[in-house]
Amino acid sequence: MKVSLETYGGLAAATNLRRPPQVLETATLPEDAAAELARLVAAAVSTPGQEQDDRARDAMSYSITVEDGGRTTALEQSDGAMTPAYAALLTWLKKHFAQQ
């Protein structure tokens, strides 16, 4: 499974402009980490997104793309409207990328 994270918008939009997505291949992870990531992805995919709060126009937005078995799933949410399952996946990915 390949997971990509793109961050855009917010007050720091100019700093994220043209920044390539961060990419993670689960084949490079320890077995337990890969299993946890798969569980988090499944939970985020199965949880419907929330409606965007119009008051949060400058909120950061996140796009997580999952490629698995020839199928691509794109998940997009923002700080203004984020499900707990998506937030858990995003937090896990941010921690992983910060350790690289």
Side-chain angles (χ1 to χ4, degrees):
M1 177 169 52
K2 178 179 171 181
V3 181
S4 304
L5 171 63
E6 289 184 84
T7 303
Y8 52 94
L11 296 175
T15 61
N16 291 325
L17 197 61
R18 296 186 185 153
R19 181 180 286 178
Q22 295 174 293
V23 180
L24 169 64
E25 293 277 353
T26 56
T28 65
L29 295 174
E31 191 174 318
D32 59 332
E36 181 180 5
L37 179 57
R39 181 187 60 77
L40 290 168
V41 165
V45 167
S46 67
T47 305
Q50 298 176 349
E51 251 185 67
Q52 175 70 30
D53 184 352
D54 287 340
R55 295 173 292 168
R57 288 190 181 115
D58 60 350
M60 291 296 294
S61 295
Y62 309 94
S63 177
I64 299 173
T65 304
V66 180
E67 298 174 38
D68 189 21
R71 192 168 86 186
T72 301
T73 304
L75 306 168
E76 292 190 26
Q77 294 190 20
S78 73
D79 286 338
M82 189 177 300
T83 64
Y86 191 94
L89 173 59
L90 179 62
T91 298
W92 192 97
L93 288 171
K94 284 182 172 184
K95 283 182 184 177
H96 174 80
F97 290 128
Q99 293 172 357
Q100 290 183 333

